[in-house]
């Protein structure tokens, strides 16, 4: 694909993206004002985008749906996130044995389904090495889609989110195509599109099994008209090579996810590339990613590291440096419970009670990020609206 002129970072990803003619503004009225404040313009693409659908800055990405309230990656979780007003809804994709893409956080489905309660699948339990880690359980690639459809989703964090377990068994595992159909239907009902944030999970591992993710994903995006530069979705991966492959198959924006500073993307490990995430967040690494991606999704600790006691340290220069390379930032993941919050924002002694999540969100929004992943999109949306209204 020929190299195209890069629109300004916020008008492309964080604030506006052009869609079909007549699309209504996405998000609250403050979205347009947020876009206008950026002052970034880059030719006809931005002019078209500014006249059509916009995302607010900062936007809220419903992490695996409204996973703070429903079992993750279910239509129930996605439906609730949309009802709450989430700007974007995330899907993680893994393949079945017969090549269908389904929405699961991991290919290890032991903790997110009732597979252990199905005696007919007891012999499928096995140990595998996935991205260098030994895992024992049941795996999506060992089941046909028809077999997976006999399972039901359960809460992944039952100790932390005991109330969510009341929904165990209520929903089946959705295919990504089912989610695309759902998003199209909801978009027509709402009069504006449903934005998606779509992750390829363990792409090198699956490619080695003959179950590559990128081409099937690209085919589905093309089928549903979501492959264009201003389609209402992002593609994301912890493997930069997966985003680079997708950039040659579709024109929708890619986001490279970044784990802890001392880790290496698994495709780097397989290729013998010595670079770590710490190298990728340097200006040279950001410039390299900007060749094929339009954003990064760093863990929150790469933006504001935590001290040894769990309190927040000083912000890094990552937001400034990424923006200088015309990359937007969609960091992950904000959760309401004390156990997930920095020490500064924990309240009381119950690790599963809610802490001062509004204070935490204000702190990260103040760094200039363009969006944030949240398990509790209703909370994050209120905090984002407060921040934009300042």
């Amino acid at each position: 694909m020929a190299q195209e002129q890069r629109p300004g970072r916020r008008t492309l990803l964080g604030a506006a993206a052009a869609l079909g003619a007549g699309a209504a503004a996405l998000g609250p009225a403050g979205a347009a004002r947020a876009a206008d404040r950026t002052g970034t313009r880059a030719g006809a693409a931005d002019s078209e985008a500014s006249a059509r659908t916009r995302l607010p800055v900062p936007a809220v990405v419903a992490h695996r749906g409204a996973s703070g309230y429903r079992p993750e990656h279910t239509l129930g979780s996605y439906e609730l996130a949309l009802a709450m007003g989430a700007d974007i809804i995330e899907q993680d994709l893994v393949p079945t044995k017969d090549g269908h893409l389904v929405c699961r956080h991991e290919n290890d489905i032991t903790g997110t389904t009732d597979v252990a309660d199905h005696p007919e699948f007891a012999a499928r339990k096995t140990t595998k090495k996935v991205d260098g880690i030994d895992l024992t359980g049941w795996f999506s690639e060992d089941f046909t889609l028809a077999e997976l459809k006999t399972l039901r989703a359960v809460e992944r964090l039952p100790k932390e989110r005991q109330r969510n377990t009341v929904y165990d068994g209520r929903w089946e595992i959705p295919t990504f195509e089912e989610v695309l159909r759902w998003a199209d239907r909801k978009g027509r009902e709402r009069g504006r599109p449903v934005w998606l944030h779509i992750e390829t999970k363990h792409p090198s591992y699956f490619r080695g099994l003959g179950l590559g993710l990128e081409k099937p994903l690209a085919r589905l995006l093309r089928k549903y008209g979501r492959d264009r530069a201003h389609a209402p979705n992002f593609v994301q991966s912890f493997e930069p090579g997966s985003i680079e492959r997708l950039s040659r198959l579709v024109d929708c924006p890619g986001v490279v996810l970044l784990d802890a500073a001392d880790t290496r993307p698994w495709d780097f490990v397989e290729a013998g590339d010595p670079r770590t995430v710490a190298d990728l967040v340097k200006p040279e690494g950001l410039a390299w990613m900007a060749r094929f991606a339009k954003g990064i999704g760093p863990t929150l600790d790469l933006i504001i590291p935590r001290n040894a006691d769990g309190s927040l340290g000083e912000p890094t220069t990552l937001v400034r440096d990424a923006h200088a390379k015309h990359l937007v930032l969609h960091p992950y993941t904000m959760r309401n419970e004390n156990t997930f919050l920095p020490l500064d924002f924990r309240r009381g002694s119950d690790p599963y009670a809610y802490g001062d999540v509004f204070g935490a969100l204000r702190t990260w929004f103040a760094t200039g990020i363009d969006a944030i992943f949240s398990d509790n999109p209703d909370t994050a949306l209120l905090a984002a609206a407060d921040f934009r209204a300042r």
Side-chain angles (χ1 to χ4, degrees):
M1 184 175 64
Q3 185 70 26
E4 60 181 358
Q5 184 180 13
R6 290 185 180 278
R9 59 176 176 84
R10 289 181 181 241
T11 50
L12 177 65
L13 286 179
L19 300 172
L26 181 64
R33 293 194 294 272
D36 292 341
R37 285 199 301 269
T38 67
T40 53
R41 314 293 284 174
D46 280 352
S47 297
E48 182 183 7
S50 66
R52 301 188 184 186
T53 300
R54 299 172 185 267
L55 284 172
V57 178
V60 172
V61 185
H63 186 234
R64 310 172 196 169
S67 56
Y69 310 106
R70 300 289 188 271
E72 64 191 32
H73 290 313
T74 59
L75 285 178
S77 183
Y78 299 154
E79 285 271 8
L80 182 58
L82 190 65
M84 287 178 168
D87 301 307
I88 313 166
I89 301 174
E90 186 198 31
Q91 295 76 46
D92 295 329
L93 303 185
V94 297
T96 65
K97 184 178 182 179
D98 46 349
H100 294 275
L101 299 181
V102 296
C103 300
R104 288 290 86 191
H105 172 51
E106 291 289 347
N107 58 320
D108 181 356
I109 60 173
T110 309
T112 61
T113 73
D114 62 357
V115 63
D117 297 331
H118 286 252
E120 68 273 25
F121 298 135
R124 305 273 180 99
K125 189 174 185 180
T126 186
T127 298
K128 298 190 178 193
K129 190 178 290 290
V130 180
D131 293 2
I133 300 173
D134 289 323
L135 299 172
T136 298
W138 289 265
F139 297 84
S140 68
E141 65 268 25
D142 295 331
F143 292 79
T144 66
L145 178 59
E147 290 171 333
L148 278 183
K149 284 294 189 180
T150 68
L151 307 180
R152 291 297 180 267
V154 300
E155 172 57 39
R156 185 177 63 89
L157 301 172
K159 183 170 65 173
E160 292 87 344
R161 293 170 173 169
Q162 190 275 332
R163 288 186 177 89
N164 293 10
T165 63
V166 71
Y167 301 104
D168 285 357
R170 189 170 185 86
W171 293 288
E172 62 181 29
I173 299 172
T175 68
F176 182 53
E177 185 160 21
E178 288 169 343
V179 173
L180 290 172
R181 291 172 181 162
W182 167 81
D184 274 4
R185 184 176 70 255
K186 289 296 181 180
R188 289 192 299 272
E189 291 173 1
R190 289 154 32 106
R192 62 186 189 275
V194 175
W195 280 75
L196 306 177
H197 220 307
I198 309 151
E199 181 180 349
T200 58
K201 300 293 293 192
H202 309 297
S204 292
Y205 168 80
F206 286 122
R207 200 174 302 116
L209 298 178
L211 291 170
L213 300 172
E214 292 86 3
K215 288 183 179 179
L217 171 55
R219 281 196 296 269
L220 285 171
L221 292 176
R222 286 193 293 269
K223 180 177 178 180
Y224 288 86
R226 286 177 169 264
D227 60 309
R228 295 183 290 274
H230 296 294
N233 47 250
F234 309 96
V235 291
Q236 57 174 338
S237 182
F238 279 99
E239 295 189 17
S242 184
I243 297 304
E244 192 166 17
R245 285 171 182 264
L246 282 165
S247 73
R248 297 192 290 266
L249 297 171
V250 295
D251 293 327
C252 53
V255 175
V256 178
L257 300 172
L258 300 169
D259 204 344
D262 60 352
T263 64
R264 293 164 66 199
W266 186 251
D267 55 339
F268 283 19
V269 175
E270 289 200 340
D273 188 328
R275 289 178 295 173
T276 64
V277 168
D279 296 312
L280 292 180
V281 297
K282 293 176 181 177
E284 316 86 74
L286 294 167
W288 176 76
M289 289 186 288
R291 291 165 42 195
F292 54 85
K294 294 185 172 66
I296 59 172
T299 178
L300 288 166
D301 290 350
L302 290 173
I303 295 173
I304 309 179
R306 297 196 194 193
N307 298 315
D309 64 356
S311 63
L312 288 181
E314 291 298 314
T316 68
T317 62
L318 179 56
V319 175
R320 182 192 68 196
D321 294 343
H323 285 168
K325 303 301 181 185
H326 306 292
L327 293 167
V328 297
L329 296 94
H330 293 183
Y332 67 94
T333 303
M334 181 59 63
R335 298 178 170 99
N336 285 8
E337 294 88 356
N338 277 321
T339 190
F340 301 116
L341 291 171
L343 181 64
D344 320 56
F345 303 105
R346 295 173 192 165
R347 298 293 179 264
S349 59
D350 182 352
Y352 310 133
Y354 284 3
D356 179 18
V357 67
F358 286 108
L361 284 161
R362 280 195 302 271
T363 299
W364 267 290
F365 288 154
T367 66
I369 60 176
D370 301 280
I372 196 164
F373 284 77
S374 174
D375 285 12
N376 307 86
D378 54 341
T379 306
L381 284 161
L382 286 171
D386 288 347
F387 183 79
R388 289 192 295 268
R390 293 186 316 165

